[in-house]
Amino acid sequence: MASRAGVHATTVYRRWGSIAELLADVATSRFSGDIVVPDTGTLRGDLERYASDLAKDLCDPDTLALVRATIGTGGEQGAAACRGERQQQLEAILEREQARGRERPTLERTTDAILAPLYYRAVFTNEPLTSGWAYDLVSHLLSDKNGAAKAPDSASDNLLVE
């Protein structure tokens, strides 16, 4: 990498300190503004377009390699670099829905329902990321009273071990 940049390797390490820090900065730069926050007029439309665009982006081999390398070398710092801009985009969609005077799911619930499965499938499986599947994620989120978190039905639903 240093030779491609025309500098000595020590210059790169002086700036970033580690491969993990370098990849985190690359990921942060790469994922900033690459997906436009849609405004279709409805929360469902916005989330479907967003999830479909993200699925398409994660299917790109270069994007997927960057995500895997960043998370693999950077741990939580790498994960934060990969999800930070994505969560800000979701937050903008949810805030717009609230400004419309409509109920909306929480950012945490939306992240768990849309970002988590998209990233999991992209990084850890060979299952396809299709628009239809992305739309299903949105449908599941919005089918539960606008994505509100449910309390466990019974003690067996609580997966915490004491």
Side-chain angles (χ1 to χ4, degrees):
M1 187 174 306
S3 64
R4 286 183 71 184
V7 298
H8 194 274
T10 56
T11 303
V12 174
Y13 280 102
R14 193 176 318 124
R15 167 65 176 92
W16 285 281
S18 71
I19 298 277
E21 290 177 26
L22 172 64
L23 287 172
D25 275 1
V26 170
T28 299
S29 175
R30 163 63 177 81
F31 299 137
S32 297
D34 63 330
I35 293 180
V36 176
V37 176
D39 187 0
T40 65
T42 68
L43 179 60
R44 177 175 297 278
D46 291 351
L47 290 174
E48 285 179 346
R49 171 103 32 94
Y50 176 81
S52 178
D53 288 350
L54 180 55
K56 183 178 178 181
D57 190 47
L58 288 170
C59 286
D60 175 70
D62 292 337
T63 299
L64 186 54
L66 177 59
V67 168
R68 286 177 171 159
T70 303
I71 292 171
T73 62
E76 178 54 33
Q77 179 185 6
C82 290
R83 77 172 178 266
E85 178 75 13
R86 304 297 192 217
Q87 283 184 307
Q88 289 174 6
Q89 293 163 340
L90 277 179
E91 190 169 30
I93 291 170
L94 297 173
E95 286 174 355
R96 185 183 312 119
E97 185 69 3
Q98 188 171 10
R100 292 174 180 142
R102 300 180 192 141
E103 287 188 40
R104 65 173 183 88
T106 65
L107 177 60
E108 180 180 12
R109 177 75 176 105
T110 306
T111 298
D112 289 348
I114 295 175
L115 285 186
L118 282 167
Y119 273 89
Y120 180 84
R121 185 174 272 200
V123 173
F124 296 108
T125 76
N126 290 321
E127 295 294 319
L129 294 171
T130 64
S131 291
W133 184 74
Y135 294 164
D136 287 346
L137 295 175
V138 174
S139 290
H140 289 294
L141 170 68
L142 298 180
S143 67
D144 178 27
K145 292 185 182 181
N146 236 3
K150 282 185 175 178
D153 292 332
S154 69
S156 65
D157 288 338
N158 187 349
L159 299 178
L160 297 177
V161 178
E162 295 183 35

Coordinates of all heavy atoms in Angstrom, one line a residue, residues 89-160:
Q89 N -27.8 7.1 8.4 CA -28.7 7.2 7.3 C -30.1 6.7 7.8 O -31.1 7.3 7.5 CB -28.2 6.3 6.2 CG -27.0 6.9 5.5 CD -26.2 5.9 4.7 OE1 -26.4 4.7 4.8 NE2 -25.4 6.4 3.8
L90 N -30.1 5.6 8.6 CA -31.4 5.1 9.1 C -32.0 6.1 10.0 O -33.2 6.3 10.0 CB -31.2 3.8 9.8 CG -31.1 2.5 9.0 CD1 -30.9 1.3 9.9 CD2 -32.4 2.3 8.2
E91 N -31.2 6.7 10.9 CA -31.7 7.7 11.8 C -32.4 8.9 11.0 O -33.4 9.4 11.4 CB -30.6 8.2 12.7 CG -31.1 9.1 13.8 CD -30.0 9.3 14.9 OE1 -28.8 9.4 14.5 OE2 -30.3 9.5 16.0
A92 N -31.8 9.3 9.9 CA -32.4 10.4 9.1 C -33.7 10.0 8.5 O -34.7 10.8 8.5 CB -31.4 10.7 8.0
I93 N -33.8 8.7 8.1 CA -35.1 8.2 7.6 C -36.2 8.2 8.7 O -37.3 8.7 8.5 CB -35.0 6.8 7.0 CG1 -34.1 6.8 5.8 CG2 -36.3 6.1 6.8 CD1 -33.7 5.5 5.2
L94 N -35.8 7.7 9.9 CA -36.7 7.7 11.0 C -37.1 9.0 11.5 O -38.3 9.3 11.9 CB -36.1 6.8 12.1 CG -35.8 5.4 11.8 CD1 -35.1 4.7 12.9 CD2 -37.1 4.6 11.5
E95 N -36.2 10.0 11.6 CA -36.5 11.3 12.0 C -37.4 12.0 11.0 O -38.3 12.8 11.4 CB -35.2 12.1 12.2 CG -34.4 11.7 13.4 CD -33.1 12.4 13.5 OE1 -32.7 13.2 12.6 OE2 -32.4 12.2 14.6
R96 N -37.2 11.7 9.7 CA -38.1 12.3 8.7 C -39.6 11.8 8.9 O -40.5 12.5 8.8 CB -37.7 12.0 7.3 CG -38.5 12.7 6.3 CD -38.2 12.4 4.8 NE -36.8 12.5 4.5 CZ -36.0 11.5 4.1 NH1 -36.5 10.3 3.9 NH2 -34.7 11.6 3.9
E97 N -39.7 10.5 9.3 CA -41.0 9.9 9.5 C -41.7 10.6 10.7 O -42.8 10.9 10.8 CB -40.9 8.4 9.7 CG -42.2 7.7 9.9 CD -43.1 7.7 8.6 OE1 -42.7 8.2 7.5 OE2 -44.2 7.2 8.7
Q98 N -40.9 10.8 11.8 CA -41.4 11.5 13.0 C -41.8 12.9 12.6 O -42.8 13.4 13.1 CB -40.3 11.5 14.1 CG -40.8 12.0 15.4 CD -39.8 11.8 16.5 OE1 -38.6 11.4 16.2 NE2 -40.2 11.9 17.7
A99 N -41.1 13.6 11.8 CA -41.4 15.0 11.4 C -42.7 15.0 10.6 O -43.4 16.0 10.6 CB -40.3 15.6 10.6
R100 N -43.0 13.9 9.9 CA -44.3 13.8 9.2 C -45.5 13.6 10.2 O -46.6 13.5 9.7 CB -44.2 12.6 8.2 CG -43.3 12.7 7.1 CD -43.2 11.4 6.3 NE -42.3 11.5 5.1 CZ -41.5 10.5 4.7 NH1 -41.5 9.3 5.3 NH2 -40.7 10.7 3.7
G101 N -45.1 13.4 11.4 CA -46.2 13.2 12.4 C -46.6 11.8 12.6 O -47.7 11.5 13.1
R102 N -45.8 10.9 12.1 CA -46.2 9.4 12.2 C -45.3 8.7 13.1 O -44.2 9.1 13.5 CB -46.0 8.8 10.8 CG -46.9 9.5 9.7 CD -46.7 8.8 8.4 NE -47.3 9.7 7.3 CZ -46.7 9.8 6.1 NH1 -45.6 9.3 5.8 NH2 -47.3 10.6 5.2
E103 N -45.9 7.6 13.6 CA -45.1 6.7 14.5 C -44.0 6.0 13.7 O -44.1 5.8 12.5 CB -46.0 5.6 15.1 CG -46.9 6.2 16.2 CD -47.7 5.0 16.9 OE1 -47.0 4.0 17.2 OE2 -48.9 5.2 17.1
R104 N -42.9 5.7 14.4 CA -41.8 5.1 13.8 C -41.1 4.1 14.8 O -41.2 4.3 16.0 CB -40.8 6.1 13.3 CG -40.2 6.9 14.5 CD -39.1 7.8 14.1 NE -38.4 8.4 15.1 CZ -37.4 8.0 15.8 NH1 -36.9 6.8 15.6 NH2 -36.8 8.7 16.7
P105 N -40.5 3.1 14.3 CA -39.7 2.2 15.2 C -38.5 3.0 15.7 O -38.0 4.0 15.2 CB -39.3 1.1 14.3 CG -39.4 1.6 12.9 CD -40.4 2.7 12.9
T106 N -37.9 2.4 16.7 CA -36.7 3.0 17.3 C -35.5 2.7 16.3 O -35.5 1.8 15.5 CB -36.3 2.4 18.7 OG1 -36.0 1.0 18.5 CG2 -37.5 2.6 19.6
L107 N -34.4 3.5 16.5 CA -33.2 3.2 15.7 C -32.7 1.8 16.0 O -32.3 1.1 15.1 CB -32.2 4.3 16.0 CG -30.8 4.1 15.2 CD1 -31.0 4.1 13.7 CD2 -29.9 5.2 15.7
E108 N -32.7 1.5 17.3 CA -32.1 0.2 17.7 C -32.9 -0.9 17.0 O -32.3 -1.9 16.5 CB -32.1 0.0 19.2 CG -31.6 -1.3 19.7 CD -31.6 -1.5 21.2 OE1 -32.2 -0.7 21.9 OE2 -31.0 -2.4 21.6
R109 N -34.2 -0.9 17.1 CA -35.0 -1.9 16.5 C -34.8 -2.0 15.0 O -34.8 -3.1 14.4 CB -36.5 -1.6 16.8 CG -37.5 -2.6 16.2 CD -37.4 -4.0 16.9 NE -38.5 -4.8 16.4 CZ -38.2 -5.8 15.5 NH1 -37.0 -6.1 15.2 NH2 -39.2 -6.5 15.0
T110 N -34.7 -0.8 14.3 CA -34.6 -0.8 12.9 C -33.2 -1.3 12.5 O -33.1 -2.1 11.5 CB -34.7 0.7 12.4 OG1 -36.0 1.2 12.8 CG2 -34.7 0.7 10.9
T111 N -32.2 -1.0 13.3 CA -30.8 -1.5 13.0 C -30.9 -3.1 13.2 O -30.3 -3.8 12.3 CB -29.8 -0.9 14.0 OG1 -29.8 0.5 13.8 CG2 -28.4 -1.5 13.8
D112 N -31.5 -3.6 14.2 CA -31.6 -5.0 14.4 C -32.4 -5.7 13.3 O -32.0 -6.8 13.0 CB -32.2 -5.3 15.8 CG -31.3 -5.0 17.0 OD1 -30.1 -4.7 16.8 OD2 -31.8 -5.0 18.1
A113 N -33.4 -5.1 12.8 CA -34.3 -5.7 11.8 C -33.7 -5.6 10.4 O -34.1 -6.4 9.6 CB -35.7 -5.1 11.9
I114 N -33.0 -4.5 10.1 CA -32.5 -4.3 8.7 C -31.0 -4.5 8.6 O -30.5 -5.3 7.8 CB -33.0 -3.0 8.2 CG1 -34.6 -3.0 8.1 CG2 -32.4 -2.7 6.8 CD1 -35.2 -1.7 7.7
L115 N -30.3 -3.6 9.3 CA -28.8 -3.7 9.1 C -28.2 -5.0 9.5 O -27.4 -5.6 8.8 CB -28.1 -2.6 9.9 CG -28.2 -1.2 9.4 CD1 -27.4 -0.2 10.3 CD2 -27.8 -1.0 8.0
A116 N -28.6 -5.5 10.7 CA -28.0 -6.7 11.2 C -28.1 -7.9 10.3 O -27.1 -8.6 9.9 CB -28.5 -7.0 12.6
P117 N -29.3 -8.2 9.8 CA -29.4 -9.4 8.9 C -28.7 -9.1 7.5 O -28.2 -10.1 7.0 CB -30.9 -9.6 8.7 CG -31.6 -8.5 9.4 CD -30.6 -7.7 10.2
L118 N -28.8 -7.9 7.0 CA -28.1 -7.6 5.8 C -26.6 -7.9 5.9 O -25.9 -8.6 5.1 CB -28.3 -6.2 5.3 CG -29.7 -6.0 4.6 CD1 -29.9 -4.5 4.5 CD2 -29.7 -6.6 3.3
Y119 N -26.0 -7.3 7.0 CA -24.5 -7.5 7.2 C -24.2 -8.9 7.5 O -23.2 -9.5 7.0 CB -24.0 -6.6 8.3 CG -23.6 -5.2 7.7 CD1 -24.5 -4.2 7.6 CD2 -22.3 -5.0 7.3 CE1 -24.2 -2.9 7.1 CE2 -22.0 -3.7 6.8 CZ -22.9 -2.7 6.7 OH -22.5 -1.5 6.2
Y120 N -25.0 -9.6 8.3 CA -24.8 -11.0 8.7 C -24.8 -11.9 7.4 O -23.8 -12.6 7.2 CB -25.8 -11.5 9.7 CG -25.5 -13.0 10.1 CD1 -24.6 -13.3 11.1 CD2 -26.1 -14.0 9.4 CE1 -24.3 -14.6 11.4 CE2 -25.9 -15.3 9.7 CZ -24.9 -15.6 10.7 OH -24.7 -16.9 11.0
R121 N -25.8 -11.7 6.6 CA -25.9 -12.6 5.4 C -24.7 -12.3 4.5 O -24.1 -13.2 3.9 CB -27.2 -12.3 4.7 CG -27.4 -13.2 3.5 CD -28.8 -13.1 2.9 NE -29.7 -14.0 3.6 CZ -30.8 -14.5 3.1 NH1 -31.2 -14.0 1.9 NH2 -31.6 -15.3 3.7
A122 N -24.4 -11.0 4.3 CA -23.3 -10.6 3.4 C -21.9 -11.2 3.9 O -21.2 -11.7 3.1 CB -23.2 -9.1 3.3
V123 N -21.6 -11.0 5.2 CA -20.3 -11.3 5.7 C -20.2 -12.8 6.0 O -19.1 -13.4 5.8 CB -20.0 -10.5 7.0 CG1 -18.7 -10.9 7.6 CG2 -20.0 -9.0 6.6
F124 N -21.2 -13.4 6.5 CA -21.0 -14.8 7.1 C -21.7 -15.9 6.3 O -21.5 -17.1 6.6 CB -21.5 -14.9 8.5 CG -20.8 -14.0 9.4 CD1 -21.3 -12.8 9.9 CD2 -19.5 -14.3 9.8 CE1 -20.6 -12.0 10.8 CE2 -18.7 -13.5 10.7 CZ -19.3 -12.3 11.2
T125 N -22.4 -15.6 5.2 CA -23.1 -16.7 4.5 C -22.9 -16.5 3.0 O -22.3 -15.4 2.6 CB -24.6 -16.7 4.7 OG1 -25.3 -15.7 4.0 CG2 -24.9 -16.6 6.2
N126 N -23.3 -17.4 2.2 CA -23.3 -17.3 0.8 C -24.7 -17.1 0.2 O -24.9 -17.3 -1.0 CB -22.6 -18.5 0.1 CG -21.1 -18.6 0.4 OD1 -20.5 -17.6 0.4 ND2 -20.6 -19.8 0.7
E127 N -25.6 -16.8 1.1 CA -27.0 -16.6 0.7 C -27.1 -15.3 0.0 O -26.4 -14.3 0.3 CB -27.9 -16.5 1.9 CG -28.0 -17.8 2.7 CD -28.7 -18.9 1.9 OE1 -29.7 -18.7 1.2 OE2 -28.2 -20.1 2.0
P128 N -27.9 -15.2 -1.0 CA -28.0 -14.0 -1.9 C -28.7 -12.9 -1.1 O -29.6 -13.1 -0.2 CB -28.9 -14.4 -3.0 CG -29.7 -15.6 -2.5 CD -28.8 -16.3 -1.5
L129 N -28.3 -11.7 -1.4 CA -28.9 -10.4 -0.9 C -29.8 -9.9 -2.1 O -29.3 -9.2 -2.9 CB -27.9 -9.4 -0.5 CG -27.0 -9.8 0.7 CD1 -25.8 -8.8 0.8 CD2 -27.8 -9.9 1.9
T130 N -31.1 -10.2 -2.0 CA -31.9 -9.8 -3.1 C -32.8 -8.6 -2.6 O -33.0 -8.4 -1.4 CB -32.8 -10.9 -3.6 OG1 -33.7 -11.3 -2.5 CG2 -32.0 -12.1 -4.1
S131 N -33.4 -7.9 -3.6 CA -34.3 -6.8 -3.2 C -35.5 -7.4 -2.5 O -36.0 -6.8 -1.5 CB -34.7 -6.0 -4.4 OG -33.6 -5.3 -4.9
G132 N -36.0 -8.5 -3.0 CA -37.2 -9.1 -2.4 C -36.9 -9.5 -0.9 O -37.8 -9.3 0.0
W133 N -35.8 -10.0 -0.6 CA -35.4 -10.4 0.7 C -35.3 -9.1 1.6 O -35.8 -9.1 2.7 CB -34.1 -11.2 0.8 CG -33.8 -11.7 2.1 CD1 -34.4 -12.7 2.8 CD2 -32.7 -11.2 3.0 NE1 -33.7 -12.8 4.1 CE2 -32.8 -11.9 4.2 CE3 -31.8 -10.2 2.8 CZ2 -31.9 -11.7 5.2 CZ3 -30.9 -9.9 3.9 CH2 -31.0 -10.7 5.0
A134 N -34.7 -8.1 1.0 CA -34.6 -6.8 1.7 C -36.0 -6.2 2.1 O -36.2 -5.7 3.1 CB -33.7 -5.8 0.9
Y135 N -36.9 -6.3 1.1 CA -38.3 -5.8 1.3 C -38.9 -6.6 2.4 O -39.7 -6.1 3.3 CB -39.1 -5.9 0.1 CG -38.7 -5.0 -1.1 CD1 -39.1 -5.3 -2.4 CD2 -37.8 -4.0 -0.9 CE1 -38.8 -4.5 -3.4 CE2 -37.4 -3.2 -2.0 CZ -37.9 -3.4 -3.2 OH -37.5 -2.6 -4.3
D136 N -38.6 -7.9 2.5 CA -39.2 -8.8 3.6 C -38.7 -8.3 4.9 O -39.5 -8.3 5.9 CB -38.9 -10.2 3.4 CG -39.6 -10.9 2.2 OD1 -40.6 -10.3 1.8 OD2 -39.2 -12.0 1.8
L137 N -37.5 -7.9 5.0 CA -36.9 -7.4 6.3 C -37.7 -6.2 6.8 O -38.1 -6.1 7.9 CB -35.5 -7.0 6.2 CG -34.5 -8.1 5.9 CD1 -33.1 -7.5 5.7 CD2 -34.5 -9.2 7.0
V138 N -38.0 -5.3 5.8 CA -38.8 -4.1 6.1 C -40.2 -4.5 6.6 O -40.8 -4.0 7.5 CB -38.8 -3.1 5.0 CG1 -39.8 -2.0 5.2 CG2 -37.4 -2.6 4.7
S139 N -40.8 -5.4 5.8 CA -42.2 -5.9 6.2 C -42.3 -6.5 7.6 O -43.2 -6.2 8.3 CB -42.7 -6.9 5.2 OG -42.9 -6.3 3.9
H140 N -41.3 -7.3 8.0 CA -41.2 -7.8 9.3 C -41.1 -6.7 10.4 O -41.7 -6.8 11.4 CB -40.1 -8.8 9.5 CG -40.3 -10.1 8.7 ND1 -41.3 -11.0 9.1 CD2 -39.7 -10.6 7.7 CE1 -41.3 -12.0 8.2 NE2 -40.3 -11.8 7.4
L141 N -40.3 -5.7 10.1 CA -40.1 -4.6 11.0 C -41.4 -3.9 11.2 O -41.8 -3.6 12.3 CB -39.0 -3.7 10.5 CG -38.9 -2.3 11.2 CD1 -38.3 -2.6 12.7 CD2 -37.9 -1.4 10.5
L142 N -42.0 -3.5 10.1 CA -43.2 -2.7 10.2 C -44.5 -3.4 10.6 O -45.5 -2.8 10.9 CB -43.4 -1.9 8.9 CG -42.3 -1.0 8.5 CD1 -42.5 -0.3 7.2 CD2 -42.0 0.0 9.6
S143 N -44.5 -4.8 10.5 CA -45.7 -5.5 10.8 C -46.0 -5.6 12.3 O -47.1 -5.8 12.7 CB -45.6 -7.0 10.3 OG -44.6 -7.7 11.0
D144 N -45.0 -5.3 13.1 CA -45.2 -5.4 14.6 C -45.4 -4.0 15.1 O -44.5 -3.4 15.7 CB -43.9 -6.0 15.2 CG -44.0 -6.0 16.7 OD1 -45.1 -6.1 17.3 OD2 -42.9 -6.0 17.4
K145 N -46.6 -3.4 14.9 CA -47.0 -2.1 15.4 C -45.8 -1.1 15.1 O -45.3 -0.5 16.0 CB -47.3 -2.1 16.9 CG -48.6 -2.9 17.2 CD -48.9 -2.8 18.6 CE -50.1 -3.5 18.9 NZ -50.5 -3.5 20.3
N146 N -45.4 -1.0 13.9 CA -44.4 -0.1 13.5 C -43.0 -0.4 14.0 O -42.2 0.4 14.2 CB -44.7 1.4 13.8 CG -44.7 2.3 12.6 OD1 -44.5 1.8 11.5 ND2 -44.9 3.5 12.8
G147 N -42.8 -1.7 14.4 CA -41.5 -2.2 14.8 C -41.2 -2.0 16.2 O -40.1 -2.1 16.6
A148 N -42.2 -1.8 17.0 CA -42.0 -1.6 18.5 C -41.5 -2.9 19.0 O -42.0 -4.0 18.7 CB -43.3 -1.2 19.2
A149 N -40.6 -2.9 20.0 CA -40.1 -4.1 20.6 C -41.1 -4.7 21.5 O -41.8 -4.0 22.2 CB -38.8 -3.8 21.4
K150 N -41.3 -6.0 21.4 CA -42.2 -6.7 22.2 C -41.6 -7.2 23.5 O -40.4 -7.6 23.4 CB -42.8 -7.9 21.5 CG -43.8 -7.7 20.4 CD -44.3 -9.0 19.9 CE -45.4 -8.9 18.9 NZ -45.8 -10.2 18.4
A151 N -42.3 -7.3 24.5 CA -41.8 -8.0 25.7 C -41.9 -9.5 25.5 O -42.8 -9.9 24.8 CB -42.7 -7.6 26.9
P152 N -41.0 -10.2 26.1 CA -41.1 -11.7 26.0 C -42.4 -12.2 26.4 O -43.0 -11.7 27.4 CB -39.9 -12.2 26.9 CG -39.0 -11.0 27.0 CD -39.9 -9.8 26.9
D153 N -42.9 -13.2 25.7 CA -44.2 -13.8 26.1 C -44.1 -14.7 27.3 O -45.1 -14.8 28.1 CB -44.8 -14.7 24.9 CG -45.2 -13.8 23.7 OD1 -45.5 -12.7 23.9 OD2 -45.1 -14.4 22.6
S154 N -43.0 -15.3 27.6 CA -42.8 -16.1 28.7 C -41.3 -16.1 29.2 O -40.5 -15.6 28.5 CB -43.2 -17.5 28.4 OG -42.2 -18.1 27.5
A155 N -41.1 -16.7 30.3 CA -39.7 -16.7 30.8 C -38.8 -17.5 29.8 O -37.6 -17.2 29.8 CB -39.7 -17.4 32.2
S156 N -39.3 -18.4 29.1 CA -38.5 -19.2 28.1 C -38.0 -18.3 27.0 O -37.1 -18.6 26.3 CB -39.3 -20.4 27.6 OG -40.4 -20.0 26.8
D157 N -38.7 -17.2 26.7 CA -38.3 -16.3 25.6 C -37.1 -15.4 26.0 O -36.4 -14.9 25.2 CB -39.5 -15.3 25.2 CG -40.6 -16.1 24.5 OD1 -40.3 -17.1 23.9 OD2 -41.7 -15.5 24.5
N158 N -36.9 -15.3 27.3 CA -35.8 -14.5 27.8 C -34.5 -15.4 27.7 O -34.4 -16.4 28.4 CB -36.0 -14.1 29.3 CG -35.0 -13.1 29.7 OD1 -34.0 -12.9 29.1 ND2 -35.2 -12.5 30.9
L159 N -33.6 -15.1 26.9 CA -32.4 -15.9 26.6 C -31.3 -15.6 27.5 O -30.2 -16.2 27.4 CB -32.0 -15.7 25.1 CG -33.0 -16.1 24.1 CD1 -32.5 -15.9 22.7 CD2 -33.4 -17.6 24.3
L160 N -31.4 -14.7 28.5 CA -30.4 -14.4 29.4 C -30.3 -15.6 30.4 O -31.3 -16.0 31.0 CB -30.6 -13.1 30.2 CG -30.7 -11.9 29.3 CD1 -31.0 -10.6 30.2 CD2 -29.3 -11.7 28.6

